[in-house]
Coordinates of all heavy atoms in Angstrom, one line a residue:
A1 N 71.2 112.7 94.7 CA 72.5 113.2 95.1 C 73.5 112.1 94.8 O 73.3 110.9 95.1 CB 72.5 113.6 96.5
R2 N 74.6 112.5 94.2 CA 75.7 111.6 94.0 C 76.7 111.6 95.1 O 77.1 112.6 95.6 CB 76.5 112.1 92.7 CG 77.6 111.2 92.3 CD 78.2 111.6 91.0 NE 79.4 110.8 90.8 CZ 80.5 111.3 90.3 NH1 80.5 112.5 89.8 NH2 81.5 110.6 90.2
V3 N 77.0 110.4 95.6 CA 78.0 110.3 96.7 C 79.4 110.1 96.2 O 79.6 109.2 95.3 CB 77.6 109.1 97.6 CG1 78.6 108.9 98.7 CG2 76.2 109.3 98.2
V4 N 80.3 110.9 96.6 CA 81.7 110.8 96.2 C 82.5 110.3 97.4 O 82.5 110.9 98.4 CB 82.3 112.1 95.7 CG1 83.7 112.0 95.3 CG2 81.5 112.6 94.5
R5 N 83.1 109.1 97.2 CA 83.8 108.5 98.3 C 85.3 109.1 98.4 O 85.9 109.1 97.3 CB 83.9 107.0 98.2 CG 84.6 106.4 99.3 CD 84.5 104.8 99.1 NE 85.2 104.2 100.2 CZ 86.4 103.6 100.1 NH1 87.0 103.6 98.9 NH2 87.0 103.1 101.1
V6 N 85.7 109.6 99.5 CA 87.0 110.1 99.7 C 87.7 109.1 100.6 O 87.3 108.8 101.7 CB 87.0 111.5 100.3 CG1 88.4 112.0 100.5 CG2 86.3 112.5 99.4
S7 N 88.9 108.6 100.1 CA 89.6 107.6 100.8 C 90.9 108.2 101.4 O 91.7 108.7 100.6 CB 89.9 106.4 100.0 OG 90.8 105.6 100.6
N8 N 91.0 108.2 102.7 CA 92.3 108.7 103.3 C 93.3 107.6 103.3 O 94.4 107.9 103.8 CB 92.0 109.3 104.7 CG 91.2 110.6 104.6 OD1 91.4 111.3 103.7 ND2 90.3 110.7 105.5
S9 N 93.0 106.4 102.9 CA 93.9 105.3 103.1 C 94.3 104.7 101.7 O 94.7 103.6 101.6 CB 93.3 104.2 103.9 OG 92.2 103.7 103.4
A10 N 94.1 105.5 100.6 CA 94.5 105.0 99.3 C 96.0 105.3 99.0 O 96.5 106.3 99.4 CB 93.6 105.8 98.2
V11 N 96.6 104.3 98.4 CA 98.0 104.4 97.9 C 98.0 104.0 96.5 O 97.5 103.0 96.0 CB 98.9 103.4 98.7 CG1 100.3 103.5 98.2 CG2 98.8 103.7 100.2
F12 N 98.7 104.9 95.7 CA 98.8 104.7 94.2 C 100.3 104.6 93.9 O 101.0 105.5 94.1 CB 98.2 105.9 93.5 CG 98.2 105.8 92.0 CD1 97.8 104.7 91.4 CD2 98.7 106.9 91.3 CE1 97.8 104.6 90.0 CE2 98.8 106.8 89.9 CZ 98.3 105.7 89.2
I13 N 100.6 103.4 93.5 CA 102.0 103.1 93.1 C 102.1 103.2 91.6 O 101.5 102.4 90.9 CB 102.4 101.7 93.6 CG1 102.2 101.5 95.1 CG2 103.9 101.4 93.2 CD1 102.4 100.1 95.6
K14 N 102.9 104.2 91.1 CA 102.8 104.5 89.7 C 104.2 104.2 89.0 O 105.2 104.5 89.5 CB 102.5 106.0 89.6 CG 102.4 106.6 88.2 CD 102.0 108.0 88.3 CE 101.9 108.7 86.9 NZ 100.8 108.3 86.2
G15 N 104.0 103.6 87.8 CA 105.2 103.5 86.9 C 106.2 102.4 87.2 O 107.3 102.5 86.6
G16 N 105.9 101.4 88.0 CA 106.8 100.4 88.3 C 106.6 99.1 87.4 O 105.8 99.1 86.5
V17 N 107.5 98.2 87.6 CA 107.4 96.9 86.9 C 106.8 95.9 88.0 O 107.4 95.6 89.0 CB 108.7 96.3 86.4 CG1 108.6 94.9 85.9 CG2 109.3 97.3 85.4
V18 N 105.5 95.5 87.7 CA 104.8 94.7 88.7 C 105.3 93.2 88.4 O 105.2 92.8 87.3 CB 103.3 94.8 88.5 CG1 102.6 93.8 89.4 CG2 102.9 96.2 88.9
V19 N 105.7 92.5 89.5 CA 106.2 91.2 89.4 C 105.2 90.3 90.1 O 104.9 90.5 91.3 CB 107.6 91.0 90.0 CG1 108.1 89.6 89.9 CG2 108.6 92.0 89.3
T20 N 104.7 89.3 89.3 CA 103.8 88.3 90.0 C 104.5 86.9 89.8 O 105.6 86.8 89.4 CB 102.4 88.2 89.3 OG1 102.6 87.7 87.9 CG2 101.8 89.6 89.2
H21 N 103.7 85.9 90.2 CA 104.3 84.5 90.1 C 104.6 84.1 88.7 O 105.4 83.2 88.5 CB 103.4 83.5 90.8 CG 102.1 83.3 90.1 ND1 101.1 84.2 90.0 CD2 101.7 82.2 89.3 CE1 100.1 83.7 89.3 NE2 100.5 82.5 88.8
D22 N 104.0 84.7 87.7 CA 104.2 84.2 86.4 C 104.5 85.3 85.3 O 104.6 85.0 84.1 CB 102.9 83.4 85.9 CG 101.7 84.3 85.8 OD1 101.7 85.4 86.3 OD2 100.7 83.8 85.2
E23 N 104.6 86.6 85.7 CA 104.9 87.6 84.7 C 105.5 88.9 85.3 O 105.4 89.1 86.5 CB 103.7 88.0 83.9 CG 102.6 88.7 84.7 CD 101.4 89.1 83.8 OE1 101.5 89.3 82.6 OE2 100.3 89.2 84.4
E24 N 106.1 89.7 84.5 CA 106.5 91.0 84.8 C 105.9 91.9 83.8 O 106.0 91.7 82.6 CB 108.1 91.1 84.8 CG 108.8 90.2 85.8 CD 110.3 90.3 85.6 OE1 110.8 91.2 84.9 OE2 111.0 89.5 86.2
K25 N 105.3 93.1 84.3 CA 104.7 94.0 83.3 C 104.8 95.4 83.9 O 104.7 95.6 85.1 CB 103.3 93.6 83.0 CG 102.3 93.6 84.1 CD 100.9 93.2 83.7 CE 100.0 93.2 84.8 NZ 98.6 92.8 84.4
F26 N 104.9 96.4 83.0 CA 104.8 97.8 83.5 C 103.4 98.1 83.8 O 102.4 97.8 83.0 CB 105.3 98.7 82.4 CG 106.7 98.8 82.2 CD1 107.3 98.0 81.2 CD2 107.5 99.5 83.0 CE1 108.7 98.0 81.0 CE2 108.9 99.5 82.9 CZ 109.5 98.8 81.9
A27 N 103.1 98.5 85.1 CA 101.7 98.8 85.5 C 101.7 99.7 86.7 O 102.8 99.8 87.4 CB 101.0 97.4 85.8
D28 N 100.6 100.2 87.0 CA 100.3 101.0 88.2 C 99.5 100.1 89.2 O 98.8 99.2 88.7 CB 99.5 102.2 87.9 CG 100.2 103.1 86.9 OD1 101.4 103.2 86.9 OD2 99.5 103.8 86.2
V29 N 99.6 100.4 90.4 CA 98.8 99.6 91.4 C 98.1 100.6 92.3 O 98.7 101.5 92.9 CB 99.8 98.7 92.3 CG1 99.0 97.9 93.4 CG2 100.6 97.8 91.4
L30 N 96.8 100.4 92.5 CA 96.0 101.2 93.4 C 95.6 100.3 94.6 O 95.0 99.2 94.4 CB 94.8 101.7 92.7 CG 93.8 102.5 93.6 CD1 94.4 103.7 94.2 CD2 92.5 102.8 92.8
C31 N 95.9 100.7 95.8 CA 95.5 100.0 97.0 C 94.5 101.0 97.7 O 94.8 102.2 97.9 CB 96.6 99.7 97.9 SG 97.9 98.6 97.1
V32 N 93.4 100.4 98.2 CA 92.4 101.2 98.9 C 92.0 100.4 100.1 O 91.7 99.2 100.0 CB 91.1 101.5 98.0 CG1 90.1 102.3 98.8 CG2 91.5 102.3 96.8
D33 N 92.0 101.0 101.3 CA 91.7 100.4 102.5 C 92.5 99.1 102.8 O 91.9 98.1 103.2 CB 90.2 100.1 102.6 CG 89.3 101.4 102.6 OD1 89.8 102.4 103.1 OD2 88.2 101.3 102.0
G34 N 93.8 99.1 102.4 CA 94.6 98.0 102.7 C 94.5 96.9 101.7 O 95.1 95.8 101.9
R35 N 93.8 97.0 100.6 CA 93.6 95.9 99.7 C 93.9 96.5 98.3 O 93.7 97.6 97.9 CB 92.2 95.4 99.7 CG 91.8 94.8 101.0 CD 90.4 94.3 100.9 NE 90.0 93.8 102.2 CZ 89.6 92.5 102.4 NH1 89.5 91.7 101.3 NH2 89.3 92.1 103.6
I36 N 94.4 95.6 97.4 CA 94.7 95.9 96.0 C 93.4 96.1 95.3 O 92.6 95.2 95.3 CB 95.6 94.9 95.3 CG1 96.9 94.8 96.0 CG2 95.7 95.2 93.9 CD1 97.8 93.6 95.5
A37 N 93.1 97.3 94.8 CA 91.9 97.6 94.1 C 92.0 97.5 92.6 O 91.0 97.1 91.9 CB 91.4 99.0 94.5
A38 N 93.2 97.8 92.1 CA 93.4 97.7 90.6 C 94.8 97.6 90.3 O 95.7 98.2 91.0 CB 92.8 98.9 90.0
V39 N 95.1 96.9 89.2 CA 96.5 96.8 88.7 C 96.3 97.0 87.2 O 95.5 96.3 86.5 CB 97.1 95.4 89.0 CG1 98.5 95.3 88.3 CG2 97.2 95.2 90.4
G40 N 97.1 97.9 86.6 CA 97.0 98.1 85.1 C 97.8 99.3 84.7 O 98.2 100.1 85.5
A41 N 97.8 99.5 83.4 CA 98.5 100.7 82.8 C 97.5 101.8 82.8 O 96.3 101.7 82.5 CB 99.0 100.4 81.4
D42 N 98.0 103.0 83.1 CA 97.2 104.2 83.1 C 95.9 104.1 83.8 O 94.8 104.4 83.2 CB 97.0 104.6 81.6 CG 98.3 104.8 80.9 OD1 99.2 105.4 81.5 OD2 98.4 104.4 79.7
L43 N 95.9 103.7 85.0 CA 94.7 103.6 85.8 C 94.0 105.0 86.0 O 94.7 106.0 86.1 CB 95.0 103.0 87.2 CG 95.5 101.6 87.3 CD1 95.8 101.2 88.7 CD2 94.5 100.6 86.7
D44 N 92.7 104.9 86.0 CA 92.0 106.2 86.3 C 91.1 106.0 87.6 O 91.2 105.0 88.2 CB 91.1 106.6 85.1 CG 90.2 105.5 84.7 OD1 90.1 104.4 85.3 OD2 89.5 105.7 83.6
N45 N 90.4 107.0 87.9 CA 89.6 107.0 89.1 C 90.4 106.8 90.4 O 90.1 106.1 91.3 CB 88.5 105.9 89.1 CG 87.5 106.1 88.0 OD1 87.1 107.3 87.8 ND2 86.9 105.1 87.4
I46 N 91.6 107.5 90.4 CA 92.4 107.5 91.6 C 91.9 108.5 92.5 O 91.7 109.7 92.1 CB 93.9 107.8 91.2 CG1 94.4 106.9 90.0 CG2 94.8 107.8 92.4 CD1 94.3 105.5 90.3
P47 N 91.7 108.1 93.8 CA 91.2 109.1 94.8 C 92.2 110.3 94.8 O 93.4 110.2 94.8 CB 91.2 108.4 96.1 CG 91.1 106.9 95.7 CD 91.8 106.8 94.4
S48 N 91.6 111.5 94.9 CA 92.4 112.8 94.8 C 93.4 112.9 96.0 O 94.4 113.6 95.9 CB 91.5 114.0 94.7 OG 90.7 114.0 95.9
D49 N 93.0 112.2 97.1 CA 93.9 112.3 98.3 C 94.8 111.1 98.4 O 95.4 110.9 99.5 CB 93.1 112.5 99.5 CG 92.1 111.4 99.8 OD1 91.9 110.6 98.9 OD2 91.7 111.3 101.0
A50 N 94.9 110.3 97.4 CA 95.8 109.1 97.5 C 97.2 109.5 97.7 O 97.7 110.5 97.1 CB 95.6 108.2 96.2
R51 N 97.9 108.7 98.5 CA 99.4 108.9 98.6 C 100.0 108.3 97.3 O 99.7 107.1 97.0 CB 99.9 108.1 99.8 CG 101.4 108.2 100.0 CD 101.8 107.4 101.2 NE 103.2 107.3 101.2 CZ 103.9 106.2 101.6 NH1 103.2 105.2 102.2 NH2 105.2 106.1 101.6
V52 N 100.8 109.0 96.6 CA 101.4 108.6 95.4 C 102.8 108.2 95.6 O 103.6 108.9 96.2 CB 101.3 109.7 94.3 CG1 102.0 109.2 93.0 CG2 99.9 110.1 94.0
I53 N 103.2 107.0 95.2 CA 104.6 106.5 95.3 C 105.1 106.3 93.8 O 104.5 105.6 93.0 CB 104.6 105.1 96.0 CG1 104.1 105.3 97.4 CG2 106.0 104.6 96.0 CD1 104.0 104.0 98.2
D54 N 106.2 107.0 93.5 CA 106.8 106.9 92.2 C 107.7 105.7 92.2 O 108.7 105.7 92.8 CB 107.6 108.2 91.9 CG 108.2 108.2 90.5 OD1 108.0 107.2 89.7 OD2 109.0 109.1 90.2
A55 N 107.3 104.7 91.4 CA 108.1 103.4 91.3 C 108.8 103.3 90.0 O 109.2 102.2 89.6 CB 107.1 102.2 91.5
D56 N 109.0 104.4 89.3 CA 109.8 104.4 88.0 C 111.1 103.7 88.2 O 111.9 104.1 89.1 CB 109.9 105.8 87.5 CG 110.6 105.9 86.1 OD1 110.2 105.0 85.3 OD2 111.5 106.7 85.9
G57 N 111.4 102.7 87.4 CA 112.7 102.0 87.5 C 112.8 101.0 88.6 O 113.8 100.4 88.9
L58 N 111.6 100.8 89.3 CA 111.6 99.8 90.5 C 110.7 98.7 90.2 O 109.8 98.7 89.4 CB 111.2 100.6 91.7 CG 112.0 101.8 92.2 CD1 111.3 102.5 93.4 CD2 113.4 101.4 92.5
L59 N 111.0 97.6 90.9 CA 110.1 96.4 90.9 C 109.1 96.5 92.0 O 109.4 96.9 93.1 CB 110.9 95.1 91.1 CG 112.0 94.8 90.1 CD1 112.8 93.5 90.5 CD2 111.5 94.7 88.7
V60 N 107.9 96.2 91.7 CA 106.8 96.2 92.6 C 106.3 94.8 92.9 O 105.8 94.1 91.9 CB 105.6 97.1 92.1 CG1 104.5 97.1 93.2 CG2 106.0 98.5 91.8
M61 N 106.6 94.3 94.1 CA 106.3 92.8 94.3 C 105.4 92.7 95.6 O 105.5 93.5 96.5 CB 107.6 92.1 94.6 CG 108.5 92.1 93.4 SD 110.0 91.1 93.7 CE 111.0 92.3 94.7
P62 N 104.6 91.6 95.7 CA 103.9 91.4 96.9 C 104.8 91.0 98.0 O 106.0 90.5 97.7 CB 102.9 90.3 96.5 CG 103.6 89.6 95.4 CD 104.4 90.6 94.6
G63 N 104.4 91.2 99.2 CA 105.3 90.8 100.3 C 105.4 89.2 100.4 O 104.6 88.5 99.9
G64 N 106.5 88.8 100.9 CA 106.8 87.4 101.0 C 106.3 86.8 102.3 O 106.0 87.5 103.3
I65 N 106.2 85.5 102.4 CA 105.8 84.7 103.6 C 107.0 83.8 103.9 O 107.4 83.0 103.1 CB 104.5 83.9 103.3 CG1 103.4 84.8 102.9 CG2 104.2 83.1 104.6 CD1 102.2 84.0 102.4
D66 N 107.4 84.0 105.2 CA 108.5 83.1 105.7 C 107.8 82.0 106.5 O 107.3 82.3 107.6 CB 109.5 83.8 106.5 CG 110.7 83.0 106.9 OD1 110.6 81.7 106.8 OD2 111.7 83.5 107.3
P67 N 107.7 80.8 106.0 CA 106.9 79.7 106.7 C 107.7 79.0 107.8 O 107.2 78.0 108.3 CB 106.5 78.8 105.6 CG 107.7 78.9 104.7 CD 108.1 80.3 104.7
H68 N 108.9 79.4 108.1 CA 109.7 78.6 109.1 C 110.6 79.6 109.8 O 111.8 79.8 109.5 CB 110.5 77.5 108.4 CG 111.2 76.6 109.3 ND1 110.9 75.3 109.3 CD2 112.2 76.8 110.2 CE1 111.7 74.7 110.3 NE2 112.5 75.6 110.8
T69 N 110.1 80.2 110.9 CA 110.9 81.1 111.7 C 111.1 80.5 113.1 O 110.4 79.6 113.5 CB 110.3 82.5 111.8 OG1 109.0 82.4 112.4 CG2 110.1 83.1 110.4
H70 N 112.0 81.1 113.8 CA 112.3 80.7 115.2 C 112.4 81.9 116.1 O 113.4 82.3 116.5 CB 113.6 79.9 115.3 CG 113.7 78.7 114.5 ND1 113.1 77.5 115.0 CD2 114.1 78.4 113.2 CE1 113.3 76.5 114.1 NE2 113.9 77.1 113.0
M71 N 111.2 82.4 116.4 CA 111.2 83.6 117.3 C 111.0 83.1 118.7 O 110.1 82.3 119.1 CB 109.9 84.5 117.0 CG 109.9 84.9 115.5 SD 111.2 86.0 115.1 CE 111.0 86.0 113.3
E72 N 112.0 83.5 119.6 CA 112.0 83.2 121.0 C 111.9 81.7 121.2 O 111.4 81.2 122.2 CB 110.8 83.9 121.7 CG 110.8 85.4 121.6 CD 109.6 86.0 122.2 OE1 108.7 85.4 122.8 OE2 109.6 87.3 122.2
L73 N 112.5 80.9 120.3 CA 112.5 79.5 120.4 C 113.4 78.9 121.5 O 114.6 79.2 121.5 CB 113.0 78.9 119.0 CG 113.1 77.3 119.0 CD1 111.7 76.7 119.0 CD2 113.9 76.9 117.8
P74 N 112.8 78.2 122.5 CA 113.7 77.6 123.5 C 114.3 76.3 122.9 O 113.6 75.5 122.3 CB 112.7 77.3 124.6 CG 111.4 77.2 123.9 CD 111.4 78.0 122.7
F75 N 115.6 76.2 123.1 CA 116.3 75.0 122.6 C 117.5 74.7 123.4 O 118.4 75.5 123.5 CB 116.7 75.2 121.1 CG 117.3 74.0 120.5 CD1 116.5 72.9 120.2 CD2 118.7 74.0 120.2 CE1 117.1 71.8 119.6 CE2 119.3 72.9 119.6 CZ 118.5 71.8 119.3
M76 N 117.6 73.5 124.0 CA 118.7 73.0 124.8 C 119.2 74.0 125.8 O 120.4 74.3 125.9 CB 119.9 72.6 123.8 CG 119.5 71.5 122.9 SD 120.8 70.9 121.9 CE 121.9 70.2 123.1
G77 N 118.3 74.6 126.5 CA 118.6 75.5 127.6 C 118.9 77.0 127.2 O 119.2 77.8 128.0
T78 N 118.7 77.3 125.9 CA 118.9 78.6 125.5 C 117.6 79.1 124.8 O 116.7 78.3 124.6 CB 120.1 78.8 124.5 OG1 119.7 78.0 123.3 CG2 121.3 78.3 125.1
V79 N 117.6 80.3 124.3 CA 116.4 80.9 123.6 C 117.0 81.6 122.4 O 118.0 82.3 122.4 CB 115.6 81.8 124.5 CG1 114.5 82.4 123.7 CG2 115.1 81.1 125.7
A80 N 116.3 81.5 121.2 CA 116.7 82.1 120.0 C 116.9 83.6 120.3 O 116.2 84.2 121.1 CB 115.7 81.9 118.9
S81 N 117.8 84.3 119.6 CA 118.1 85.7 119.8 C 117.0 86.6 119.3 O 116.9 87.7 119.8 CB 119.4 86.1 119.2 OG 119.4 85.9 117.8
E82 N 116.2 86.2 118.3 CA 115.2 87.0 117.8 C 113.9 86.9 118.6 O 113.5 85.8 118.9 CB 114.8 86.6 116.3 CG 115.9 86.8 115.4 CD 116.1 88.3 115.0 OE1 115.6 89.2 115.6 OE2 116.9 88.5 114.0
D83 N 113.3 88.0 119.0 CA 112.0 88.0 119.6 C 111.0 88.4 118.5 O 111.4 88.7 117.4 CB 111.9 88.8 120.9 CG 112.2 90.3 120.6 OD1 112.0 90.8 119.5 OD2 112.6 91.0 121.6
F84 N 109.7 88.5 118.8 CA 108.8 88.8 117.8 C 108.9 90.2 117.3 O 108.7 90.5 116.1 CB 107.3 88.5 118.3 CG 107.0 87.1 118.2 CD1 107.2 86.2 119.3 CD2 106.5 86.5 117.0 CE1 107.0 84.9 119.2 CE2 106.2 85.1 116.9 CZ 106.5 84.3 118.0
F85 N 109.3 91.2 118.1 CA 109.5 92.5 117.7 C 110.7 92.7 116.7 O 110.6 93.2 115.6 CB 109.7 93.5 118.8 CG 109.9 94.9 118.4 CD1 108.8 95.7 117.9 CD2 111.2 95.5 118.3 CE1 109.0 97.0 117.4 CE2 111.4 96.8 117.9 CZ 110.3 97.5 117.4
T86 N 111.9 92.2 117.2 CA 113.1 92.3 116.3 C 113.0 91.5 115.1 O 113.4 91.9 114.0 CB 114.3 92.0 117.1 OG1 114.3 90.6 117.5 CG2 114.5 92.9 118.3
G87 N 112.5 90.3 115.2 CA 112.4 89.4 114.1 C 111.4 89.9 113.0 O 111.7 89.8 111.8
T88 N 110.2 90.3 113.4 CA 109.3 90.8 112.4 C 109.7 92.2 111.8 O 109.4 92.5 110.7 CB 107.9 90.8 112.9 OG1 107.8 91.6 114.1 CG2 107.4 89.4 113.2
S89 N 110.4 93.0 112.6 CA 110.9 94.3 112.1 C 111.9 94.0 111.0 O 111.9 94.6 110.0 CB 111.5 95.1 113.2 OG 110.5 95.5 114.2
A90 N 112.8 93.1 111.3 CA 113.9 92.7 110.3 C 113.2 92.1 109.0 O 113.6 92.4 107.9 CB 114.9 91.8 110.9
A91 N 112.2 91.3 109.3 CA 111.5 90.7 108.1 C 110.8 91.7 107.3 O 111.0 91.7 106.0 CB 110.5 89.6 108.6
A92 N 110.1 92.6 107.9 CA 109.4 93.7 107.1 C 110.4 94.5 106.3 O 110.1 94.9 105.2 CB 108.6 94.5 108.0
A93 N 111.6 94.8 106.9 CA 112.6 95.6 106.2 C 113.1 94.9 105.0 O 113.5 95.6 104.0 CB 113.7 95.9 107.2
G94 N 113.0 93.6 105.0 CA 113.5 92.8 103.8 C 112.3 92.4 102.9 O 112.6 91.7 101.9
G95 N 111.1 92.8 103.1 CA 110.0 92.5 102.2 C 109.1 91.4 102.7 O 108.2 91.0 102.0
T96 N 109.4 90.8 103.8 CA 108.6 89.7 104.3 C 107.5 90.3 105.1 O 107.7 91.0 106.0 CB 109.4 88.7 105.1 OG1 110.4 88.1 104.3 CG2 108.5 87.6 105.7
T97 N 106.2 90.0 104.7 CA 105.1 90.6 105.4 C 104.3 89.6 106.3 O 103.5 90.1 107.1 CB 104.1 91.2 104.4 OG1 103.7 90.1 103.5 CG2 104.7 92.3 103.6
S98 N 104.6 88.4 106.3 CA 104.0 87.4 107.1 C 105.0 86.3 107.5 O 105.9 85.9 106.8 CB 102.8 86.7 106.4 OG 101.9 87.6 106.0
I99 N 104.8 85.8 108.8 CA 105.7 84.7 109.2 C 104.8 83.6 109.8 O 103.7 83.8 110.2 CB 106.7 85.1 110.3 CG1 106.0 85.5 111.6 CG2 107.6 86.2 109.7 CD1 107.0 85.6 112.8
I100 N 105.3 82.4 109.8 CA 104.7 81.3 110.4 C 105.8 80.7 111.4 O 106.8 80.2 110.9 CB 104.2 80.2 109.5 CG1 103.2 80.8 108.5 CG2 103.7 79.0 110.2 CD1 102.8 79.8 107.4
D101 N 105.6 80.9 112.7 CA 106.7 80.6 113.6 C 106.7 79.1 113.9 O 105.6 78.4 113.9 CB 106.5 81.4 114.9 CG 107.7 81.4 115.8 OD1 108.8 81.6 115.2 OD2 107.6 81.2 117.0
F102 N 107.9 78.5 114.1 CA 108.0 77.1 114.5 C 107.3 76.8 115.8 O 107.4 77.6 116.7 CB 109.5 76.8 114.6 CG 109.8 75.4 114.8 CD1 109.9 74.6 113.7 CD2 110.1 74.9 116.0 CE1 110.2 73.2 113.8 CE2 110.4 73.5 116.2 CZ 110.4 72.7 115.0
V103 N 106.6 75.7 115.8 CA 105.8 75.4 117.0 C 106.4 74.2 117.7 O 106.8 73.2 117.1 CB 104.3 75.0 116.6 CG1 103.6 74.6 117.8 CG2 103.7 76.2 115.9
I104 N 106.6 74.4 119.0 CA 107.0 73.2 119.9 C 105.8 72.8 120.7 O 105.3 73.6 121.4 CB 108.2 73.6 120.8 CG1 109.4 74.0 120.0 CG2 108.5 72.5 121.7 CD1 110.5 74.4 120.8
P105 N 105.4 71.5 120.4 CA 104.2 71.1 121.1 C 104.4 71.0 122.6 O 105.4 70.8 123.2 CB 103.9 69.7 120.5 CG 105.1 69.3 119.7 CD 105.9 70.6 119.6

């Protein structure tokens, strides 16, 4: 018997310009279970239930990392205005997917 895997968490980004650290190219991106499964032109074997995102005319970039944030930072009797909820929500809206918060020993 042949097993056919059905993925409810597949995302297919179609027709964008994929931007990496060293190139820009027209390509599709398939993500399965939260990981990039394939990048290339005219991808096949796309799960039939994949969520399709039309990226025609758009840049497709990986999320950024902000290595120096100040969430809830105590300083000179005050505390930074951003907490982890508001700060990471704003970051995600701007394309930042990871932060490294400033540490006070």
Side-chain angles (χ1 to χ4, degrees):
R2 182 173 169 219
V3 176
V4 178
R5 181 171 180 259
V6 177
S7 172
N8 292 324
S9 63
V11 177
F12 181 51
I13 304 170
K14 183 176 177 73
V17 175
V18 174
V19 180
T20 68
H21 70 286
D22 64 347
E23 69 178 333
E24 296 179 9
K25 64 181 179 180
F26 286 97
D28 301 328
V29 179
L30 174 63
C31 300
V32 178
D33 297 328
R35 295 179 184 241
I36 297 172
V39 177
D42 301 318
L43 294 178
D44 54 7
N45 294 327
I46 308 303
S48 60
D49 62 342
R51 176 178 169 220
V52 178
I53 298 173
D54 181 5
D56 184 45
L58 301 175
L59 300 177
V60 179
M61 298 181 282
I65 300 170
D66 186 343
H68 187 116
T69 63
H70 297 278
M71 306 295 169
E72 302 176 1
L73 177 73
F75 183 73
M76 297 183 69
T78 66
V79 177
S81 62
E82 295 284 12
D83 60 25
F84 282 92
F85 178 78
T86 61
T88 56
S89 296
T96 298
T97 57
S98 299
I99 67 165
I100 301 171
D101 200 43
F102 188 79
V103 176
I104 296 180

